[in-house]
Amino acid sequence: MSQLLEVSDLNRHFGSGKYQVSAVKDVSFKLNPGEIVAVVGESGSGKSTLARIVLRLLAPSSGNISFMGQDVASLSTTDYWRQVQAVFQDPYAAFNQFYSVKQVLQKALGLKKLNTQERRERMENSLNAVGLAPATVLGKYPHQLSGGQRQRVMMARALMLRPKLLIADEPTSALDASLRVSILNLLKDIRQEYGMSILFITHDIGQAYYLCDRMLVMYQGEMVEQGSVEEIVRQSQHPYTQRLLADVPKLH
């Protein structure tokens, strides 16, 4: 299977001289079409920095990223973001507080050349896909929505562009337990219906096991272990991965 995304020897440093800190160190991995891959690690492990580099919100200090066989540095950000979209940890911060849901979605559709009818259909279909009634939410503002509704609007915004890759950076951590499960199930449905790949960033190895096909474990900026979720959970090799697994509640 040809890779959708290939990351090779990626590094990102902050600061300079003796004050330089390496947030991402020689990270390499591949993501196949239609695959959900988790990047797992505690706060400060470098996983969100990695996600922002892949999304081209941060430039790497060194290394290469290839998307559908092309070096992403050769693509304009507009062309890249038509194919790669993101959902972030705090959906409220991702909103312009003075925009209604309709305005937020219309702004995103500026990346696509669509007529008025096509824009309306994209908005309505995407909202329906994430379980929101268009007539109920299109005229509302962020403060009028629940946390789960805001996160679903952000997913609808990404879906409207029909991206090949969705980067989900801790999309459930700001939600309560019941909403977390619904968002994870929604991500499963999105993969099933649209065939898109998902890079799922999380500190919760239990969520990664529930949702993902493969798992990449990051510790202090390095990729210390990667494999299928079954391999990682049942035959983990690195002490850090074993510690993460020990923290997952178990029912016996």
Side-chain angles (χ1 to χ4, degrees), residues 15-227:
S16 60
K18 65 179 180 179
Y19 300 107
Q20 181 172 282
V21 175
S22 294
V24 175
K25 308 174 190 175
D26 298 320
V27 168
S28 299
F29 68 93
K30 297 176 182 179
L31 181 62
N32 296 317
E35 188 177 37
I36 305 181
V37 172
V39 180
V40 180
E42 294 172 313
S43 179
S45 63
K47 61 188 187 298
S48 288
T49 300
L50 174 63
R52 281 161 172 74
I53 294 171
V54 173
L55 193 56
R56 297 187 67 186
L57 297 178
L58 281 175
S61 300
S62 62
N64 297 299
I65 302 173
S66 174
F67 180 73
M68 297 178 65
Q70 288 185 279
D71 185 344
V72 300
S74 68
L75 302 171
S76 71
T77 52
T78 300
D79 288 338
Y80 188 60
W81 290 337
R82 287 190 180 110
Q83 301 290 340
V84 181
Q85 283 287 299
V87 177
F88 295 105
Q89 177 176 350
D90 184 358
Y92 194 76
F95 268 103
N96 183 320
Q97 307 307 314
F98 301 101
Y99 279 17
S100 67
V101 170
K102 183 176 182 179
Q103 290 171 306
V104 168
L105 299 183
Q106 286 178 330
K107 188 74 171 176
L109 282 172
L111 290 169
K112 291 283 189 180
K113 295 179 180 179
L114 302 171
N115 61 39
T116 303
Q117 175 67 18
E118 290 170 330
R119 284 170 178 255
R120 184 168 60 251
E121 288 177 355
R122 283 283 181 101
M123 281 194 288
E124 292 178 354
N125 291 341
S126 296
L127 287 169
N128 285 324
V130 300
L132 293 174
T136 303
V137 300
L138 279 173
K140 289 188 175 180
Y141 289 81
H143 68 277
Q144 297 175 306
L145 302 173
S146 69
Q149 286 175 320
R150 286 194 289 266
Q151 195 62 286
R152 286 171 182 268
V153 170
M154 291 297 99
M155 290 187 179
R157 183 176 69 169
L159 287 179
M160 287 191 311
L161 300 176
R162 304 292 189 266
K164 300 288 186 184
L165 172 62
L166 177 67
I167 298 174
D169 187 1
E170 296 276 13
T172 65
S173 62
L175 306 175
D176 63 36
S178 61
L179 287 175
R180 288 175 191 169
V181 174
S182 68
I183 294 299
L184 292 176
N185 287 333
L186 179 56
L187 288 170
K188 280 188 172 185
D189 294 341
I190 286 170
R191 191 263 290 269
Q192 185 73 22
E193 184 169 351
Y194 293 92
M196 69 175 63
S197 299
I198 300 174
L199 188 64
F200 182 68
I201 313 299
T202 184
H203 65 276
D204 188 332
I205 201 167
Q207 288 188 17
Y209 180 76
Y210 177 76
L211 176 67
C212 301
D213 304 306
R214 286 193 299 120
M215 199 182 299
L216 317 173
V217 183
M218 288 193 72
Y219 176 62
Q220 295 185 348
E222 298 183 58
M223 196 76 73
V224 296
E225 193 162 7
Q226 56 179 294

